[in-house]
Amino acid sequence: MAYQLYRNTTLGNSLQESLDELIQITPQLALQVLLQFDKAINSALAQRVRNRVNFRGSLNTYRFCDNVWTFVLNDVEFREVTELIKVDKVKIVACDGKNTGSNTTE
Amino acid sequence: MDEERTDLELYLDQCFAQDDLAPPRLPLLSPVVPDDVYMPNSSNPKMVFNSHLEEVKETPGHFSSVDLSFLPDELTQENKDQSVIRSKHEIEENCKTQSQQSRLSLPREQDIGLGLIGSSSLLNSHSHLYPADADSVQPSLEKPNSMPLVSITPMTPMTPVSECSGIVPQLQNIVSTVNLACKLDLKKIALHAKNAEYNPKRFAAVIMRIREPRTTALIFSSGKMVCTGAKSEEQSRLAARKYARVVQKLGFPARFLDFKIQNMVGSCDVRFAISLEGLVLTHQQFSSYEPELFPGLIYRMVKPRIVLLIFVSGKVVLTGAKERSEIYEAFENIYPILKGFKKA
């Protein structure tokens, strides 16, 4: 069963809103679409994503419960070869990746 | 603590004034100067006498007991027990404030049960009267005008002033426990508290940290908590209280029962290289040294019951103490031994 972690992302939220707008589809069908989305996004991130981003900041808080890490960092710099992004606050929610490690940022 | 001392002194002053026990002032034979210097009765009476000339003149009629062997066994036995311990605070302080204050106010120290070697029987008898004091630890700087009970009979080899180390071990870690006295829902705590980890598959407690004082706490569902990482006793207690407040704010009826310091760790540097091989040869009943296993010599001191890790570089780690004074005492005990094994 793939993580439902990615439903609360820009992509996942857009999908959920679209499904809500499609009144003609049954809720059961909408749920199936979302489950398929979960599988698709998990495998895409695991297999098709190759680039690497580094980030550095100061840790404000951390939490580990139900095998999920939640971090709040302050004054973070996201650094990719091409560009640099600075952010005051970032929340990171991370689930255990079996092989590669997967995480998402909001 | 101050009040205790002065009350005690006043009492003792009265007692000594009433007592007939003091023989007329004998030529001063080795009063302790400073406290940890014990000269044999017959040696250097003049030197000792001269060094204490002033005090002698100021305080006539005070005790200068010489030979305690006539005393009943019980009291002399206490002598021996006390003689094994040394007041390390005393020694430190005495190193700084020497002859003037040394022998005087012995009664106070005796009653505190800090071993002055060859302490007079009278002092021991006072320790009978004040058994509680015998267990309390903190010696104070001795006042020059207090009772100059002079104790003579040296029970252990004389240690000259120069052996006082002048080094104070620094506390590095304090481990303490406290009972919050209520069952806790660890998952709720882990979800709502900041800086908490909870992985019940690996360990059945929430691991929480705070930044000031920088400590880590293990919080168990029974309501018991372990607090580690503080650098002083007060900090440990303060940190434990902060954790209790966090738990309380989450809605649990937390209390703060039975706070107890379980372990204290200190470290210091003697600033010379040590021959561990020699040390393990002569102190084999206390030491274990396996350089292939661990580069430090593990010295298990009997009194106080402290474990010391002694390294070739001269760094020493002391652990196993329940009180700060045990660390200091253990270091003052080991320092002369280490000096004897200084590497050429």
Side-chain angles (χ1 to χ4, degrees):
Chain A
M1 249 289 283
Y3 288 125
Q4 296 183 0
L5 179 62
Y6 301 102
R7 292 194 188 181
N8 191 14
T9 57
T10 314
L11 199 53
N13 281 325
S14 313
L15 178 61
Q16 285 182 316
E17 286 169 24
S18 310
L19 287 173
D20 291 336
E21 281 179 23
L22 288 169
I23 53 164
Q24 280 158 354
I25 69 168
T26 62
Q28 177 62 15
L29 182 56
L31 183 63
Q32 288 302 320
V33 170
L34 285 169
L35 288 175
Q36 183 57 34
F37 166 75
D38 294 332
K39 279 191 240 173
I41 189 78
N42 272 290
S43 79
L45 285 170
Q47 305 300 333
R48 289 168 55 187
V49 174
R50 296 271 173 248
N51 51 342
R52 179 196 178 109
V53 177
N54 291 329
F55 61 94
R56 148 176 276 150
S58 51
L59 182 65
N60 188 326
T61 59
Y62 65 87
R63 171 176 297 118
F64 182 67
C65 194
D66 296 325
N67 272 326
V68 177
W69 278 103
T70 306
F71 302 104
V72 175
L73 311 188
N74 290 120
D75 302 322
V76 193
E77 286 185 355
F78 287 86
R79 206 174 281 270
E80 202 180 350
V81 179
T82 44
E83 58 190 282
L84 170 69
I85 303 169
K86 291 197 187 177
V87 177
D88 283 340
K89 179 178 167 188
V90 64
K91 181 176 197 173
I92 299 178
V93 180
C95 293
D96 191 27
K98 282 80 182 175
N99 299 317
T100 51
S102 54
N103 54 36
T104 188
T105 62
E106 312 175 31
Chain B
M1 205 51 188
D2 274 328
E3 293 163 347
E4 277 179 26
R5 281 201 305 278
T6 41
D7 285 347
L8 194 53
E9 272 181 29
L10 290 174
Y11 178 91
L12 292 172
D13 284 352
Q14 291 172 18
C15 293
F16 295 149
Q18 292 161 11
D19 271 342
D20 275 339
L21 298 175
R25 181 164 46 87
L26 303 172
L28 276 184
L29 306 178
S30 71
V32 208
V33 180
D35 277 337
D36 54 343
V37 177
Y38 300 97
M39 305 185 213
N41 284 348
S42 51
S43 73
N44 317 332
K46 282 189 183 170
M47 191 174 86
V48 169
F49 182 85
N50 286 335
S51 66
H52 299 293
L53 201 51
E54 287 183 9
E55 285 105 348
V56 166
K57 282 181 181 169
E58 289 168 0
T59 60
H62 286 137
F63 296 112
S64 45
S65 59
V66 179
D67 178 14
L68 305 177
S69 56
F70 63 92
L71 290 167
D73 276 349
E74 192 188 337
L75 292 176
T76 48
Q77 186 56 42
E78 261 192 47
N79 257 346
K80 287 170 195 162
D81 289 340
Q82 287 183 358
S83 71
V84 175
I85 318 165
R86 290 193 182 191
S87 151
K88 301 314 155 193
H89 279 303
E90 254 171 46
I91 290 179
E92 273 177 25
E93 290 169 352
N94 290 331
C95 291
K96 299 162 196 165
T97 68
Q98 300 234 340
S99 57
Q100 198 176 6
Q101 296 171 344
S102 54
R103 305 152 303 118
L104 307 179
S105 66
L106 290 177
R108 185 169 59 242
E109 294 165 32
Q110 299 308 316
D111 287 313
I112 306 177
L114 300 167
L116 276 189
I117 297 168
S119 55
S120 80
S121 61
L122 293 162
L123 301 176
N124 285 336
S125 66
H126 286 294
S127 71
H128 280 303
L129 293 171
Y130 298 92
D133 291 343
D135 293 333
S136 74
V137 184
Q138 304 301 318
S140 56
L141 280 175
E142 304 144 24
K143 299 180 196 165
N145 294 328
S146 59
M147 298 304 301
L149 270 189
V150 177
S151 62
I152 309 299
T153 314
M155 308 281 276
T156 62
M158 161 170 63
T159 34
V161 175
S162 59
E163 287 209 28
C164 151
S165 70
I167 304 171
V168 181
Q170 296 304 308
L171 289 180
Q172 303 293 351
N173 183 26
I174 313 257
V175 177
S176 59
T177 55
V178 71
N179 184 7
L180 303 178
C182 66
K183 293 272 172 275
L184 301 176
D185 180 356
L186 295 187
K187 185 146 166 199
K188 181 177 175 197
I189 294 177
L191 281 175
H192 292 93
K194 292 191 176 178
N195 300 325
E197 297 165 48
Y198 181 46
N199 194 359
K201 289 181 309 193
R202 235 186 58 183
F203 190 56
V206 167
I207 300 154
M208 196 184 297
R209 294 181 174 86
I210 56 175
R211 289 190 161 93
E212 183 55 50
R214 195 168 286 274
T215 50
T216 301
L218 308 176
I219 304 172
F220 293 85
S221 55
S222 62
K224 297 217 172 133
M225 179 169 79
V226 180
C227 174
T228 63
K231 300 280 191 200
S232 84
E233 305 90 318
E234 255 328 289
Q235 282 187 6
S236 191
R237 195 188 178 90
L238 175 65
R241 287 210 109 101
K242 288 191 178 182
Y243 290 113
R245 187 165 60 222
V246 169
V247 170
Q248 199 177 56
K249 284 195 174 163
L250 286 174
F252 300 96
R255 292 163 65 199
F256 198 76
L257 302 184
D258 307 321
F259 175 81
K260 182 179 176 201
I261 289 177
Q262 302 288 356
N263 186 29
M264 301 172 73
V265 180
S267 71
C268 55
D269 185 2
V270 299
R271 307 184 89 74
F272 54 81
I274 302 171
S275 155
L276 299 182
E277 273 303 331
L279 182 54
V280 73
L281 284 173
T282 49
H283 289 78
Q284 56 199 43
Q285 69 261 57
F286 305 110
S287 321
S288 87
Y289 178 46
E290 297 269 349
E292 295 177 11
L293 276 187
F294 186 64
L297 184 151
I298 302 162
Y299 191 103
R300 295 178 189 275
M301 191 174 286
V302 173
K303 186 146 184 69
R305 201 166 75 88
I306 299 284
V307 174
L308 299 90
L309 305 178
I310 304 165
F311 295 88
V312 172
S313 59
K315 299 256 185 355
V316 179
V317 174
L318 306 93
T319 185
K322 290 272 197 291
E323 306 255 337
R324 185 187 282 253
S325 59
E326 292 176 11
I327 298 263
Y328 293 157
E329 196 183 327
F331 181 68
E332 291 301 322
N333 278 347
I334 201 83
Y335 188 71
I337 298 171
L338 295 181
K339 285 223 301 194
F341 289 98
K342 191 193 288 211
K343 269 198 190 165

